[in-house]
Amino acid sequence: MIEPNLDLLVPAYVREFEPYIPSKPDPELQKLYGCDHLYRLNNNENPLGPPPGAQDVIRRFPPPRGAVYPSGDSYYLRQEIAACHGMEPDQVLVGNGANEVIAFVIKAFCGQGDNIITADKTFAVYEWVAVFSGIEARVIPLKEERFDDRAMLNSIDAATKVIFLCNPNNPTGTYWSRETLIAFLDEVGGRQIVVVDEAYFEFVEAGDYPDGMSLINDYPNLIVFRTFSKMYGIAGLRIGYLAGDLKVVDMIRRTCVVYSVNGIAQEAALACLRDETGHIRRTRDLVREGKEFLCAEMGAMGLPVNAGEGNYLIVKLPGSDTLAYRKLMHEGIMIRPMTGFRYPNHIRVTLAKMDAMEAFVTALKKILA
Ligand SMILES: *Cc1c(COP(=O)(O)O)cnc(C)c1O
């Protein structure tokens, strides 16, 4: 048997890329760490699950329809999304999670020699997709936990195609105010595509937080991401979308693989948007309660906390976050160590129900004692 010569077949930027290893399924982790219950505080999931209407869709999906391809372009869902934002359905592209639409954008705008601009401590998928596609990622350090708008503007050159902002930022919870975002867009002046990732839009309560969707008319180089994974609680169904100017989206559409979004996800997402039972309010109440509780408890333990917008906060530990991860796993608590986000000694904790918050505090006290 002749082995393929992977050094010749695989581009260097793929060979040298360090793959992301997802965590094992819960039952495997429970065996590995010897815990009989696992609180998942690592992925910013909604512990309330999807709104009731979406739960009904999932329960009632006719099994024979498993044999039939879904709408290839999420036809009805795009109509509903467009109506929510006062835009045309063709301004919307739905993907297999917001993660997939990141790849659509990079494929559409970046070729060899081009670069994207992002930050050092933000959602890492923008950087990863660029790097394993052979595109340079300019990673600009945050300044006082915020995106450094000045430094980002200064790093733009003729080969810069896309600038990725995360608003509010995962993991710092800081956000771009309407004023700073508009000033930034004015300076970019349409020369690059600006992506604003609003994965946590529905959690934000700050009054000066901008709705990116409302700026697309004035800034046709702006693309906004949203997801159904966080507030709407259907992370397991994998569905998110982007919206932008009609001509811009028409270009991005060329890079999408149709049928990547399954039918249950499309229908459940539609039901999420139509929810009238107060799902968002209930979730915000839960997040607020969890945040107040954890801030007080961490304060009492003398641990610095960074709690901004979003359903998560960051705690600074006196020592290694990866060691704390393993110790907390033995206590049945899964958090996100932040070393991978270039944030050593910090952990990100999802704000969840009080039983989970109390279990986390008890476990943290135990492992730090
Ligand atoms: C979770 C998350 C996403 C990805 O969401 P999916 O729709 O589940 O792929 C995108 N951006 C940020 C900032 C996130 O935190």
Side-chain angles (χ1 to χ4, degrees):
M1 193 182 68
I2 300 171
E3 300 253 345
N5 186 340
L6 296 179
D7 286 345
L8 280 179
L9 289 168
V10 184
Y13 55 79
V14 174
R15 262 184 281 128
E16 286 156 17
F17 189 81
E18 184 89 40
Y20 176 79
I21 312 289
S23 57
K24 290 197 170 72
D26 288 12
E28 301 303 314
L29 290 171
Q30 283 171 248
K31 260 187 270 168
L32 197 62
Y33 290 97
C35 47
D36 49 23
H37 181 81
L38 199 54
Y39 288 104
R40 300 176 54 90
L41 304 177
N42 62 324
N43 271 343
N44 302 341
E45 293 152 349
N46 188 337
L48 300 182
Q55 302 214 7
D56 269 350
V57 165
I58 296 165
R59 211 174 286 118
R60 296 199 185 139
F61 190 83
R65 272 197 40 214
V68 181
Y69 277 99
S71 163
D73 61 356
S74 304
Y75 186 87
Y76 290 120
L77 177 61
R78 285 190 303 109
Q79 291 192 336
E80 186 81 16
I81 292 169
C84 289
H85 303 307
M87 51 177 71
E88 304 280 328
D90 283 347
Q91 291 183 262
V92 178
L93 286 177
V94 182
N96 190 261
N99 269 320
E100 193 185 38
V101 304
I102 298 172
F104 294 165
V105 170
I106 291 182
K107 278 185 273 181
F109 296 102
C110 300
Q112 227 183 7
D114 291 340
N115 67 71
I116 65 140
I117 294 174
T118 177
D120 62 342
K121 291 166 186 160
T122 188
F123 194 59
V125 179
Y126 327 125
E127 178 186 343
W128 293 341
V129 175
V131 171
F132 67 57
S133 306
I135 307 299
E136 182 196 349
R138 300 194 167 167
V139 175
I140 310 303
L142 295 188
K143 190 173 159 188
E144 290 159 8
E145 316 282 276
R146 291 167 187 284
F147 279 76
D148 186 344
D149 45 355
R150 198 33 56 198
M152 293 182 95
L153 289 166
N154 288 340
S155 68
I156 295 175
D157 67 16
T160 303
K161 294 297 183 68
V162 189
I163 305 168
F164 286 93
L165 316 179
C166 188
N167 200 31
N169 190 34
N170 174 9
T172 57
T174 49
Y175 67 96
W176 293 66
S177 69
R178 192 177 172 82
E179 198 184 348
T180 45
L181 182 61
I182 286 179
F184 186 85
L185 289 165
D186 284 336
E187 291 227 29
V188 171
R191 285 176 293 272
Q192 283 76 30
I193 294 292
V194 176
V195 169
V196 178
D197 183 346
E198 296 182 343
Y200 299 93
F201 176 88
E202 300 84 1
F203 292 95
V204 181
E205 298 188 319
D208 59 345
Y209 173 75
D211 174 355
M213 297 291 178
S214 72
L215 298 173
I216 290 171
N217 263 341
D218 290 336
Y219 298 94
N221 62 325
L222 173 63
I223 294 171
V224 178
F225 290 174
R226 297 273 177 96
T227 179
F228 291 97
S229 295
K230 306 289 161 56
M231 174 58 84
Y232 290 116
I234 51 172
L237 300 184
R238 310 304 304 125
I239 183 163
Y241 63 96
L242 65 74
D245 176 73
L246 211 50
K247 286 190 194 137
V248 169
V249 171
D250 189 47
M251 286 297 159
I252 304 171
R253 184 176 297 108
R254 293 154 211 245
T255 70
C256 315
V257 178
V258 290
Y259 298 124
S260 73
V261 183
N262 72 75
I264 303 184
Q266 292 182 31
E267 283 188 37
L270 202 56
C272 288
L273 294 176
R274 290 177 179 162
D275 174 66
E276 285 180 343
T277 70
H279 176 80
I280 292 182
R281 180 183 42 76
R282 282 194 300 279
T283 306
R284 284 182 173 187
D285 289 348
L286 175 122
V287 165
R288 205 179 307 111
E289 190 186 6
K291 192 188 290 184
E292 281 165 13
F293 174 75
L294 281 195
C295 285
E297 291 287 329
M298 297 301 105
M301 292 168 72
L303 299 175
V305 177
N306 188 353
E309 304 298 328
N311 62 338
Y312 47 86
L313 52 70
I314 288 188
V315 183
K316 183 168 193 284
L317 300 181
S320 160
D321 54 321
T322 45
L323 180 61
Y325 169 83
R326 290 196 297 275
K327 288 184 172 175
L328 286 169
M329 284 299 287
H330 285 295
E331 305 299 318
I333 309 282
M334 181 156 42
I335 50 74
R336 178 62 63 117
M338 288 279 98
T339 292
F341 276 80
R342 304 188 176 94
Y343 233 128
N345 300 344
H346 290 71
I347 57 172
R348 190 191 65 199
V349 185
T350 301
L351 298 165
K353 291 183 184 168
M354 284 307 286
D355 61 333
M357 300 290 85
E358 282 164 4
F360 164 70
V361 171
T362 305
L364 190 65
K365 282 183 178 157
K366 183 172 167 192
I367 70 153
L368 293 179

